[in-house]
Amino acid sequence: MGAFIAEYWPYLAALLPTVGVGYLFYWIIRYMIEADRSERKAIAKWNAEHGDNLKGNHQPLPKKDGPVDK
């Protein structure tokens, strides 16, 4: 067993930083996506409570008085 560890330890030591950075990258991206998802939910909730002008829930503009082209 000692010969196995002595023979393959340099390879494992070389791959360990790559695996660590990959793991860190995974968690950072995961938290970014989760934050974006929760922010979109909060914006949707705010729009539902306060009215969303982009989805057609607004009042039409009043007509202007003046000459009408026919």
Short mmCIF file of all heavy atoms in Angstrom, two decimals:
data_model
loop_
_atom_site.label_atom_id
_atom_site.label_comp_id
_atom_site.label_asym_id
_atom_site.label_seq_id
_atom_site.Cartn_x
_atom_site.Cartn_y
_atom_site.Cartn_z
N MET A 1 0.84 -1.19 0.00
CA MET A 1 0.00 0.00 0.00
C MET A 1 0.88 1.25 0.00
O MET A 1 0.53 2.24 -0.63
CB MET A 1 -0.92 -0.02 1.22
CG MET A 1 -1.87 1.12 1.29
SD MET A 1 -3.12 0.94 0.01
CE MET A 1 -4.19 2.25 0.44
N GLY A 2 1.98 1.23 0.72
CA GLY A 2 2.89 2.38 0.79
C GLY A 2 3.50 2.70 -0.57
O GLY A 2 3.69 3.86 -0.92
N ALA A 3 3.79 1.66 -1.34
CA ALA A 3 4.37 1.88 -2.67
C ALA A 3 3.32 2.52 -3.59
O ALA A 3 3.65 3.37 -4.42
CB ALA A 3 4.87 0.57 -3.26
N PHE A 4 2.08 2.12 -3.44
CA PHE A 4 0.99 2.69 -4.26
C PHE A 4 0.85 4.19 -3.99
O PHE A 4 0.75 4.99 -4.91
CB PHE A 4 -0.32 1.96 -3.94
CG PHE A 4 -1.51 2.53 -4.67
CD1 PHE A 4 -1.72 2.23 -5.99
CD2 PHE A 4 -2.40 3.38 -4.02
CE1 PHE A 4 -2.81 2.75 -6.68
CE2 PHE A 4 -3.49 3.91 -4.69
CZ PHE A 4 -3.70 3.59 -6.03
N ILE A 5 0.85 4.55 -2.69
CA ILE A 5 0.72 5.96 -2.32
C ILE A 5 1.94 6.74 -2.80
O ILE A 5 1.80 7.85 -3.34
CB ILE A 5 0.51 6.11 -0.81
CG1 ILE A 5 -0.86 5.53 -0.42
CG2 ILE A 5 0.63 7.56 -0.38
CD1 ILE A 5 -1.12 5.49 1.06
N ALA A 6 3.12 6.21 -2.61
CA ALA A 6 4.34 6.90 -3.03
C ALA A 6 4.38 7.07 -4.54
O ALA A 6 4.89 8.08 -5.04
CB ALA A 6 5.57 6.12 -2.56
N GLU A 7 3.84 6.11 -5.27
CA GLU A 7 3.90 6.17 -6.74
C GLU A 7 2.85 7.13 -7.31
O GLU A 7 3.13 7.86 -8.25
CB GLU A 7 3.66 4.77 -7.31
CG GLU A 7 3.83 4.71 -8.81
CD GLU A 7 3.67 3.28 -9.34
OE1 GLU A 7 3.78 2.33 -8.55
OE2 GLU A 7 3.44 3.17 -10.55
N TYR A 8 1.67 7.15 -6.73
CA TYR A 8 0.58 7.95 -7.31
C TYR A 8 0.33 9.28 -6.59
O TYR A 8 -0.49 10.07 -7.05
CB TYR A 8 -0.72 7.13 -7.35
CG TYR A 8 -0.66 6.04 -8.38
CD1 TYR A 8 -0.49 4.71 -8.00
CD2 TYR A 8 -0.75 6.33 -9.73
CE1 TYR A 8 -0.42 3.70 -8.93
CE2 TYR A 8 -0.68 5.33 -10.68
CZ TYR A 8 -0.51 4.02 -10.27
OH TYR A 8 -0.45 3.02 -11.21
N TRP A 9 1.01 9.56 -5.48
CA TRP A 9 0.78 10.81 -4.77
C TRP A 9 1.09 12.05 -5.61
O TRP A 9 0.33 13.02 -5.58
CB TRP A 9 1.58 10.84 -3.48
CG TRP A 9 1.47 12.17 -2.79
CD1 TRP A 9 2.46 13.06 -2.61
CD2 TRP A 9 0.30 12.75 -2.26
NE1 TRP A 9 1.98 14.17 -1.98
CE2 TRP A 9 0.64 14.01 -1.76
CE3 TRP A 9 -1.03 12.35 -2.15
CZ2 TRP A 9 -0.26 14.87 -1.16
CZ3 TRP A 9 -1.94 13.20 -1.57
CH2 TRP A 9 -1.55 14.43 -1.08
N PRO A 10 2.15 12.08 -6.40
CA PRO A 10 2.40 13.27 -7.22
C PRO A 10 1.26 13.57 -8.21
O PRO A 10 0.93 14.73 -8.44
CB PRO A 10 3.68 12.95 -7.98
CG PRO A 10 4.37 11.94 -7.14
CD PRO A 10 3.27 11.14 -6.50
N TYR A 11 0.65 12.54 -8.74
CA TYR A 11 -0.47 12.74 -9.68
C TYR A 11 -1.69 13.30 -8.95
O TYR A 11 -2.37 14.20 -9.44
CB TYR A 11 -0.83 11.43 -10.39
CG TYR A 11 0.32 10.87 -11.19
CD1 TYR A 11 0.93 9.68 -10.80
CD2 TYR A 11 0.79 11.52 -12.32
CE1 TYR A 11 1.99 9.15 -11.53
CE2 TYR A 11 1.84 11.01 -13.05
CZ TYR A 11 2.44 9.82 -12.66
OH TYR A 11 3.47 9.32 -13.38
N LEU A 12 -1.97 12.75 -7.78
CA LEU A 12 -3.10 13.25 -6.99
C LEU A 12 -2.84 14.68 -6.51
O LEU A 12 -3.76 15.51 -6.51
CB LEU A 12 -3.35 12.33 -5.80
CG LEU A 12 -3.84 10.91 -6.14
CD1 LEU A 12 -3.92 10.06 -4.88
CD2 LEU A 12 -5.18 10.98 -6.83
N ALA A 13 -1.62 14.98 -6.12
CA ALA A 13 -1.28 16.32 -5.67
C ALA A 13 -1.39 17.32 -6.81
O ALA A 13 -1.75 18.48 -6.60
CB ALA A 13 0.13 16.33 -5.08
N ALA A 14 -1.12 16.90 -8.03
CA ALA A 14 -1.24 17.80 -9.18
C ALA A 14 -2.70 18.06 -9.53
O ALA A 14 -3.04 19.14 -9.99
CB ALA A 14 -0.50 17.20 -10.37
N LEU A 15 -3.56 17.08 -9.32
CA LEU A 15 -4.97 17.24 -9.67
C LEU A 15 -5.79 17.90 -8.57
O LEU A 15 -6.87 18.44 -8.85
CB LEU A 15 -5.58 15.87 -9.99
CG LEU A 15 -5.08 15.21 -11.27
CD1 LEU A 15 -5.68 13.83 -11.41
CD2 LEU A 15 -5.41 16.07 -12.47
N LEU A 16 -5.31 17.89 -7.35
CA LEU A 16 -6.06 18.45 -6.23
C LEU A 16 -6.41 19.93 -6.39
O LEU A 16 -7.57 20.30 -6.16
CB LEU A 16 -5.30 18.20 -4.92
CG LEU A 16 -6.05 18.49 -3.64
CD1 LEU A 16 -7.31 17.62 -3.55
CD2 LEU A 16 -5.15 18.24 -2.46
N PRO A 17 -5.51 20.82 -6.81
CA PRO A 17 -5.91 22.22 -6.99
C PRO A 17 -6.98 22.40 -8.07
O PRO A 17 -7.90 23.22 -7.92
CB PRO A 17 -4.61 22.92 -7.41
CG PRO A 17 -3.53 22.04 -6.91
CD PRO A 17 -4.08 20.65 -6.97
N THR A 18 -6.90 21.64 -9.13
CA THR A 18 -7.90 21.73 -10.20
C THR A 18 -9.27 21.31 -9.70
O THR A 18 -10.28 21.97 -9.99
CB THR A 18 -7.48 20.84 -11.39
OG1 THR A 18 -6.18 21.22 -11.81
CG2 THR A 18 -8.46 20.97 -12.53
N VAL A 19 -9.31 20.25 -8.93
CA VAL A 19 -10.58 19.79 -8.37
C VAL A 19 -11.12 20.82 -7.38
O VAL A 19 -12.32 21.12 -7.38
CB VAL A 19 -10.41 18.40 -7.70
CG1 VAL A 19 -11.64 18.00 -6.93
CG2 VAL A 19 -10.06 17.36 -8.75
N GLY A 20 -10.26 21.40 -6.58
CA GLY A 20 -10.68 22.42 -5.61
C GLY A 20 -11.24 23.66 -6.29
O GLY A 20 -12.28 24.19 -5.89
N VAL A 21 -10.58 24.13 -7.33
CA VAL A 21 -11.07 25.30 -8.06
C VAL A 21 -12.39 24.97 -8.78
O VAL A 21 -13.30 25.78 -8.81
CB VAL A 21 -10.00 25.80 -9.06
CG1 VAL A 21 -10.57 26.84 -10.01
CG2 VAL A 21 -8.82 26.37 -8.31
N GLY A 22 -12.50 23.78 -9.31
CA GLY A 22 -13.76 23.36 -9.95
C GLY A 22 -14.90 23.31 -8.95
O GLY A 22 -16.02 23.75 -9.27
N TYR A 23 -14.64 22.82 -7.78
CA TYR A 23 -15.66 22.77 -6.73
C TYR A 23 -16.08 24.17 -6.31
O TYR A 23 -17.27 24.46 -6.17
CB TYR A 23 -15.09 22.00 -5.53
CG TYR A 23 -16.05 21.80 -4.39
CD1 TYR A 23 -17.10 20.89 -4.50
CD2 TYR A 23 -15.90 22.52 -3.21
CE1 TYR A 23 -17.98 20.71 -3.44
CE2 TYR A 23 -16.77 22.34 -2.16
CZ TYR A 23 -17.81 21.44 -2.27
OH TYR A 23 -18.69 21.27 -1.23
N LEU A 24 -15.11 25.07 -6.14
CA LEU A 24 -15.41 26.45 -5.79
C LEU A 24 -16.22 27.13 -6.89
O LEU A 24 -17.18 27.85 -6.61
CB LEU A 24 -14.09 27.20 -5.53
CG LEU A 24 -14.20 28.63 -5.05
CD1 LEU A 24 -14.88 28.67 -3.68
CD2 LEU A 24 -12.82 29.25 -4.98
N PHE A 25 -15.85 26.92 -8.14
CA PHE A 25 -16.58 27.48 -9.28
C PHE A 25 -18.02 26.99 -9.29
O PHE A 25 -18.94 27.77 -9.52
CB PHE A 25 -15.88 27.09 -10.59
CG PHE A 25 -16.56 27.59 -11.81
CD1 PHE A 25 -16.46 28.91 -12.19
CD2 PHE A 25 -17.31 26.72 -12.59
CE1 PHE A 25 -17.10 29.37 -13.33
CE2 PHE A 25 -17.95 27.17 -13.73
CZ PHE A 25 -17.84 28.50 -14.10
N TYR A 26 -18.24 25.71 -9.02
CA TYR A 26 -19.58 25.15 -8.98
C TYR A 26 -20.45 25.87 -7.93
O TYR A 26 -21.58 26.25 -8.21
CB TYR A 26 -19.51 23.65 -8.67
CG TYR A 26 -20.83 23.05 -8.29
CD1 TYR A 26 -21.78 22.75 -9.26
CD2 TYR A 26 -21.15 22.79 -6.96
CE1 TYR A 26 -23.00 22.21 -8.92
CE2 TYR A 26 -22.36 22.24 -6.61
CZ TYR A 26 -23.29 21.95 -7.58
OH TYR A 26 -24.51 21.42 -7.24
N TRP A 27 -19.92 26.07 -6.72
CA TRP A 27 -20.70 26.71 -5.66
C TRP A 27 -20.97 28.17 -5.97
O TRP A 27 -22.06 28.68 -5.69
CB TRP A 27 -20.00 26.56 -4.31
CG TRP A 27 -20.23 25.20 -3.75
CD1 TRP A 27 -19.33 24.16 -3.72
CD2 TRP A 27 -21.44 24.69 -3.19
NE1 TRP A 27 -19.92 23.06 -3.17
CE2 TRP A 27 -21.22 23.35 -2.83
CE3 TRP A 27 -22.68 25.25 -2.96
CZ2 TRP A 27 -22.20 22.57 -2.25
CZ3 TRP A 27 -23.66 24.45 -2.38
CH2 TRP A 27 -23.41 23.13 -2.03
N ILE A 28 -20.01 28.86 -6.55
CA ILE A 28 -20.22 30.27 -6.88
C ILE A 28 -21.32 30.41 -7.93
O ILE A 28 -22.23 31.23 -7.79
CB ILE A 28 -18.91 30.92 -7.36
CG1 ILE A 28 -17.95 31.07 -6.19
CG2 ILE A 28 -19.17 32.28 -8.01
CD1 ILE A 28 -16.55 31.49 -6.58
N ILE A 29 -21.26 29.61 -8.98
CA ILE A 29 -22.28 29.67 -10.03
C ILE A 29 -23.63 29.26 -9.48
O ILE A 29 -24.66 29.86 -9.80
CB ILE A 29 -21.87 28.80 -11.24
CG1 ILE A 29 -20.60 29.34 -11.88
CG2 ILE A 29 -23.00 28.70 -12.24
CD1 ILE A 29 -20.73 30.74 -12.43
N ARG A 30 -23.65 28.26 -8.62
CA ARG A 30 -24.91 27.81 -8.02
C ARG A 30 -25.57 28.92 -7.21
O ARG A 30 -26.78 29.16 -7.33
CB ARG A 30 -24.64 26.60 -7.14
CG ARG A 30 -25.88 26.06 -6.49
CD ARG A 30 -25.57 24.78 -5.73
NE ARG A 30 -26.78 24.31 -5.09
CZ ARG A 30 -26.87 23.99 -3.81
NH1 ARG A 30 -25.80 24.04 -3.05
NH2 ARG A 30 -28.00 23.58 -3.29
N TYR A 31 -24.79 29.62 -6.40
CA TYR A 31 -25.34 30.71 -5.60
C TYR A 31 -25.76 31.89 -6.47
O TYR A 31 -26.73 32.57 -6.15
CB TYR A 31 -24.36 31.16 -4.52
CG TYR A 31 -24.35 30.22 -3.33
CD1 TYR A 31 -23.18 29.61 -2.91
CD2 TYR A 31 -25.51 29.94 -2.63
CE1 TYR A 31 -23.17 28.74 -1.83
CE2 TYR A 31 -25.52 29.08 -1.55
CZ TYR A 31 -24.35 28.49 -1.16
OH TYR A 31 -24.35 27.63 -0.09
N MET A 32 -25.05 32.15 -7.55
CA MET A 32 -25.45 33.22 -8.46
C MET A 32 -26.80 32.92 -9.10
O MET A 32 -27.67 33.80 -9.20
CB MET A 32 -24.39 33.42 -9.55
CG MET A 32 -23.14 34.11 -9.07
SD MET A 32 -21.81 34.18 -10.28
CE MET A 32 -22.61 34.90 -11.67
N ILE A 33 -27.00 31.70 -9.54
CA ILE A 33 -28.27 31.31 -10.16
C ILE A 33 -29.39 31.36 -9.14
O ILE A 33 -30.50 31.82 -9.43
CB ILE A 33 -28.14 29.92 -10.82
CG1 ILE A 33 -27.21 30.02 -12.03
CG2 ILE A 33 -29.49 29.37 -11.22
CD1 ILE A 33 -26.85 28.69 -12.64
N GLU A 34 -29.12 30.90 -7.93
CA GLU A 34 -30.13 30.93 -6.87
C GLU A 34 -30.51 32.37 -6.50
O GLU A 34 -31.69 32.68 -6.29
CB GLU A 34 -29.58 30.20 -5.64
CG GLU A 34 -30.59 29.96 -4.56
CD GLU A 34 -29.99 29.11 -3.45
OE1 GLU A 34 -29.33 28.11 -3.75
OE2 GLU A 34 -30.19 29.47 -2.28
N ALA A 35 -29.53 33.26 -6.46
CA ALA A 35 -29.80 34.67 -6.16
C ALA A 35 -30.63 35.30 -7.27
O ALA A 35 -31.56 36.07 -7.01
CB ALA A 35 -28.50 35.43 -5.97
N ASP A 36 -30.32 34.98 -8.52
CA ASP A 36 -31.08 35.51 -9.64
C ASP A 36 -32.52 35.03 -9.58
O ASP A 36 -33.46 35.80 -9.80
CB ASP A 36 -30.43 35.10 -10.96
CG ASP A 36 -31.18 35.63 -12.16
OD1 ASP A 36 -31.32 36.87 -12.27
OD2 ASP A 36 -31.62 34.82 -13.00
N ARG A 37 -32.70 33.76 -9.26
CA ARG A 37 -34.05 33.20 -9.16
C ARG A 37 -34.86 33.88 -8.07
O ARG A 37 -36.03 34.25 -8.27
CB ARG A 37 -33.96 31.69 -8.91
CG ARG A 37 -35.31 30.99 -8.90
CD ARG A 37 -35.17 29.50 -8.61
NE ARG A 37 -34.26 28.87 -9.55
CZ ARG A 37 -33.23 28.09 -9.18
NH1 ARG A 37 -33.00 27.87 -7.91
NH2 ARG A 37 -32.46 27.54 -10.07
N SER A 38 -34.25 34.08 -6.92
CA SER A 38 -34.99 34.72 -5.82
C SER A 38 -35.25 36.20 -6.13
O SER A 38 -36.30 36.73 -5.76
CB SER A 38 -34.24 34.57 -4.50
OG SER A 38 -32.99 35.21 -4.56
N GLU A 39 -34.34 36.85 -6.84
CA GLU A 39 -34.58 38.24 -7.21
C GLU A 39 -35.73 38.35 -8.20
O GLU A 39 -36.57 39.25 -8.10
CB GLU A 39 -33.31 38.84 -7.83
CG GLU A 39 -33.47 40.29 -8.23
CD GLU A 39 -32.21 40.86 -8.84
OE1 GLU A 39 -31.22 40.12 -9.00
OE2 GLU A 39 -32.22 42.06 -9.16
N ARG A 40 -35.80 37.44 -9.16
CA ARG A 40 -36.92 37.44 -10.11
C ARG A 40 -38.26 37.20 -9.40
O ARG A 40 -39.26 37.81 -9.75
CB ARG A 40 -36.70 36.41 -11.20
CG ARG A 40 -35.61 36.79 -12.17
CD ARG A 40 -35.36 35.68 -13.18
NE ARG A 40 -34.21 35.95 -13.98
CZ ARG A 40 -34.26 36.41 -15.22
NH1 ARG A 40 -35.42 36.63 -15.78
NH2 ARG A 40 -33.15 36.64 -15.89
N LYS A 41 -38.25 36.33 -8.41
CA LYS A 41 -39.48 36.10 -7.63
C LYS A 41 -39.89 37.36 -6.88
O LYS A 41 -41.07 37.70 -6.82
CB LYS A 41 -39.29 34.95 -6.65
CG LYS A 41 -39.34 33.59 -7.27
CD LYS A 41 -39.18 32.52 -6.20
CE LYS A 41 -39.12 31.14 -6.80
NZ LYS A 41 -38.93 30.10 -5.78
N ALA A 42 -38.91 38.05 -6.28
CA ALA A 42 -39.21 39.27 -5.53
C ALA A 42 -39.74 40.36 -6.46
O ALA A 42 -40.68 41.07 -6.12
CB ALA A 42 -37.96 39.75 -4.80
N ILE A 43 -39.17 40.48 -7.65
CA ILE A 43 -39.64 41.48 -8.61
C ILE A 43 -41.05 41.14 -9.07
O ILE A 43 -41.90 42.02 -9.18
CB ILE A 43 -38.67 41.59 -9.80
CG1 ILE A 43 -37.37 42.23 -9.34
CG2 ILE A 43 -39.28 42.39 -10.94
CD1 ILE A 43 -36.26 42.20 -10.37
N ALA A 44 -41.32 39.87 -9.33
CA ALA A 44 -42.66 39.46 -9.75
C ALA A 44 -43.68 39.74 -8.64
O ALA A 44 -44.79 40.19 -8.91
CB ALA A 44 -42.67 37.98 -10.12
N LYS A 45 -43.29 39.48 -7.40
CA LYS A 45 -44.19 39.76 -6.28
C LYS A 45 -44.46 41.25 -6.16
O LYS A 45 -45.60 41.67 -5.95
CB LYS A 45 -43.56 39.23 -4.98
CG LYS A 45 -44.43 39.43 -3.77
CD LYS A 45 -43.74 38.90 -2.51
CE LYS A 45 -44.57 39.19 -1.29
NZ LYS A 45 -43.90 38.76 -0.07
N TRP A 46 -43.42 42.07 -6.30
CA TRP A 46 -43.58 43.52 -6.22
C TRP A 46 -44.48 44.01 -7.36
O TRP A 46 -45.36 44.84 -7.13
CB TRP A 46 -42.22 44.20 -6.30
CG TRP A 46 -42.30 45.66 -6.02
CD1 TRP A 46 -42.22 46.26 -4.81
CD2 TRP A 46 -42.50 46.70 -6.98
NE1 TRP A 46 -42.34 47.62 -4.96
CE2 TRP A 46 -42.52 47.93 -6.28
CE3 TRP A 46 -42.66 46.73 -8.36
CZ2 TRP A 46 -42.69 49.13 -6.91
CZ3 TRP A 46 -42.83 47.95 -8.98
CH2 TRP A 46 -42.84 49.13 -8.26
N ASN A 47 -44.27 43.49 -8.57
CA ASN A 47 -45.11 43.89 -9.70
C ASN A 47 -46.56 43.48 -9.49
O ASN A 47 -47.47 44.22 -9.86
CB ASN A 47 -44.58 43.29 -11.00
CG ASN A 47 -43.34 44.00 -11.49
OD1 ASN A 47 -43.09 45.15 -11.14
ND2 ASN A 47 -42.55 43.32 -12.29
N ALA A 48 -46.79 42.34 -8.88
CA ALA A 48 -48.17 41.90 -8.62
C ALA A 48 -48.84 42.79 -7.58
O ALA A 48 -50.04 43.06 -7.67
CB ALA A 48 -48.16 40.44 -8.15
N GLU A 49 -48.07 43.25 -6.61
CA GLU A 49 -48.64 44.10 -5.57
C GLU A 49 -48.86 45.54 -6.02
O GLU A 49 -49.79 46.20 -5.60
CB GLU A 49 -47.73 44.10 -4.34
CG GLU A 49 -47.70 42.77 -3.61
CD GLU A 49 -46.66 42.75 -2.51
OE1 GLU A 49 -45.91 43.73 -2.36
OE2 GLU A 49 -46.59 41.73 -1.80
N HIS A 50 -47.99 46.05 -6.88
CA HIS A 50 -48.03 47.46 -7.25
C HIS A 50 -48.54 47.70 -8.67
O HIS A 50 -48.59 48.84 -9.10
CB HIS A 50 -46.64 48.08 -7.11
CG HIS A 50 -46.19 48.13 -5.69
ND1 HIS A 50 -45.46 47.12 -5.11
CD2 HIS A 50 -46.38 49.05 -4.73
CE1 HIS A 50 -45.21 47.44 -3.86
NE2 HIS A 50 -45.76 48.61 -3.60
N GLY A 51 -48.87 46.69 -9.39
CA GLY A 51 -49.33 46.85 -10.77
C GLY A 51 -48.15 46.85 -11.71
O GLY A 51 -47.13 47.47 -11.48
N ASP A 52 -48.31 46.18 -12.80
CA ASP A 52 -47.23 46.05 -13.76
C ASP A 52 -47.65 46.73 -15.05
O ASP A 52 -48.52 46.25 -15.76
CB ASP A 52 -46.92 44.58 -14.00
CG ASP A 52 -45.73 44.39 -14.92
OD1 ASP A 52 -45.05 45.38 -15.25
OD2 ASP A 52 -45.48 43.25 -15.30
N ASN A 53 -47.06 47.86 -15.35
CA ASN A 53 -47.42 48.59 -16.56
C ASN A 53 -46.96 47.91 -17.83
O ASN A 53 -47.46 48.21 -18.90
CB ASN A 53 -46.84 50.01 -16.50
CG ASN A 53 -47.51 50.84 -15.43
OD1 ASN A 53 -48.63 50.54 -15.03
ND2 ASN A 53 -46.83 51.86 -14.97
N LEU A 54 -46.03 47.01 -17.74
CA LEU A 54 -45.53 46.36 -18.94
C LEU A 54 -46.44 45.23 -19.41
O LEU A 54 -46.32 44.79 -20.54
CB LEU A 54 -44.12 45.80 -18.69
CG LEU A 54 -43.07 46.86 -18.34
CD1 LEU A 54 -41.75 46.18 -18.02
CD2 LEU A 54 -42.90 47.84 -19.47
N LYS A 55 -47.33 44.77 -18.60
CA LYS A 55 -48.17 43.64 -18.96
C LYS A 55 -49.59 44.05 -19.28
O LYS A 55 -50.50 43.24 -19.28
CB LYS A 55 -48.17 42.60 -17.84
CG LYS A 55 -46.82 41.95 -17.67
CD LYS A 55 -46.88 40.83 -16.68
CE LYS A 55 -45.50 40.18 -16.56
NZ LYS A 55 -45.50 39.11 -15.61
N GLY A 56 -49.83 45.31 -19.56
CA GLY A 56 -51.15 45.75 -19.97
C GLY A 56 -52.10 46.07 -18.84
O GLY A 56 -53.30 46.18 -19.05
N ASN A 57 -51.62 46.25 -17.64
CA ASN A 57 -52.48 46.58 -16.50
C ASN A 57 -52.57 48.08 -16.27
O ASN A 57 -52.92 48.53 -15.21
CB ASN A 57 -51.96 45.90 -15.23
CG ASN A 57 -52.04 44.41 -15.30
OD1 ASN A 57 -52.86 43.89 -16.04
ND2 ASN A 57 -51.19 43.73 -14.56
N HIS A 58 -52.26 48.87 -17.29
CA HIS A 58 -52.28 50.32 -17.12
C HIS A 58 -53.50 50.91 -17.82
O HIS A 58 -54.12 50.28 -18.67
CB HIS A 58 -51.01 50.94 -17.68
CG HIS A 58 -50.82 50.70 -19.15
ND1 HIS A 58 -50.39 49.50 -19.66
CD2 HIS A 58 -51.04 51.50 -20.21
CE1 HIS A 58 -50.33 49.58 -20.98
NE2 HIS A 58 -50.72 50.78 -21.34
N GLN A 59 -53.80 52.12 -17.46
CA GLN A 59 -54.93 52.82 -18.06
C GLN A 59 -54.50 53.37 -19.43
O GLN A 59 -53.38 53.82 -19.59
CB GLN A 59 -55.38 53.98 -17.16
CG GLN A 59 -55.86 53.54 -15.80
CD GLN A 59 -57.15 52.73 -15.90
OE1 GLN A 59 -57.97 52.98 -16.76
NE2 GLN A 59 -57.29 51.75 -15.02
N PRO A 60 -55.40 53.35 -20.41
CA PRO A 60 -55.04 53.92 -21.71
C PRO A 60 -54.86 55.43 -21.61
O PRO A 60 -55.45 56.08 -20.74
CB PRO A 60 -56.22 53.54 -22.60
CG PRO A 60 -57.33 53.27 -21.68
CD PRO A 60 -56.72 52.79 -20.40
N LEU A 61 -54.04 55.97 -22.49
CA LEU A 61 -53.81 57.41 -22.49
C LEU A 61 -55.08 58.13 -22.95
O LEU A 61 -55.79 57.66 -23.84
CB LEU A 61 -52.66 57.76 -23.44
CG LEU A 61 -51.29 57.23 -23.03
CD1 LEU A 61 -50.27 57.51 -24.12
CD2 LEU A 61 -50.84 57.85 -21.72
N PRO A 62 -55.38 59.30 -22.37
CA PRO A 62 -56.56 60.04 -22.81
C PRO A 62 -56.34 60.57 -24.23
O PRO A 62 -55.23 60.89 -24.63
CB PRO A 62 -56.68 61.17 -21.79
CG PRO A 62 -55.33 61.29 -21.19
CD PRO A 62 -54.69 59.93 -21.28
N LYS A 63 -57.46 60.69 -24.99
CA LYS A 63 -57.37 61.20 -26.35
C LYS A 63 -57.18 62.70 -26.33
O LYS A 63 -57.73 63.40 -25.49
CB LYS A 63 -58.63 60.83 -27.12
CG LYS A 63 -58.76 59.35 -27.34
CD LYS A 63 -59.95 59.05 -28.22
CE LYS A 63 -60.06 57.55 -28.43
NZ LYS A 63 -61.16 57.20 -29.30
N LYS A 64 -56.38 63.17 -27.28
CA LYS A 64 -56.13 64.60 -27.36
C LYS A 64 -57.29 65.27 -28.12
O LYS A 64 -57.84 64.71 -29.06
CB LYS A 64 -54.84 64.85 -28.12
CG LYS A 64 -53.62 64.39 -27.39
CD LYS A 64 -52.36 64.70 -28.16
CE LYS A 64 -51.13 64.21 -27.44
NZ LYS A 64 -49.93 64.48 -28.19
N ASP A 65 -57.65 66.47 -27.70
CA ASP A 65 -58.64 67.25 -28.43
C ASP A 65 -57.94 67.95 -29.58
O ASP A 65 -56.84 68.46 -29.44
CB ASP A 65 -59.27 68.31 -27.51
CG ASP A 65 -60.10 67.66 -26.41
OD1 ASP A 65 -60.59 66.54 -26.65
OD2 ASP A 65 -60.23 68.26 -25.33
N GLY A 66 -58.58 67.96 -30.71
CA GLY A 66 -57.99 68.62 -31.86
C GLY A 66 -58.51 68.01 -33.14
O GLY A 66 -59.40 67.15 -33.13
N PRO A 67 -57.96 68.42 -34.27
CA PRO A 67 -58.45 67.91 -35.55
C PRO A 67 -58.13 66.43 -35.69
O PRO A 67 -57.11 65.94 -35.24
CB PRO A 67 -57.69 68.73 -36.57
CG PRO A 67 -56.51 69.29 -35.86
CD PRO A 67 -56.90 69.40 -34.42
N VAL A 68 -59.06 65.75 -36.30
CA VAL A 68 -58.92 64.31 -36.53
C VAL A 68 -58.73 64.09 -38.01
O VAL A 68 -59.50 64.58 -38.85
CB VAL A 68 -60.18 63.57 -36.03
CG1 VAL A 68 -60.03 62.08 -36.29
CG2 VAL A 68 -60.41 63.84 -34.57
N ASP A 69 -57.70 63.36 -38.38
CA ASP A 69 -57.48 63.05 -39.80
C ASP A 69 -58.41 61.91 -40.20
O ASP A 69 -58.54 60.92 -39.49
CB ASP A 69 -56.03 62.62 -40.02
CG ASP A 69 -55.07 63.76 -39.79
OD1 ASP A 69 -55.49 64.93 -39.98
OD2 ASP A 69 -53.90 63.49 -39.42
N LYS A 70 -59.04 62.07 -41.36
CA LYS A 70 -59.94 61.01 -41.84
C LYS A 70 -59.45 60.43 -43.12
O LYS A 70 -58.89 60.97 -43.96
CB LYS A 70 -61.35 61.56 -42.04
CG LYS A 70 -62.01 61.86 -40.74
CD LYS A 70 -63.43 62.24 -40.98
CE LYS A 70 -64.08 62.57 -39.64
NZ LYS A 70 -65.46 62.84 -39.76
#
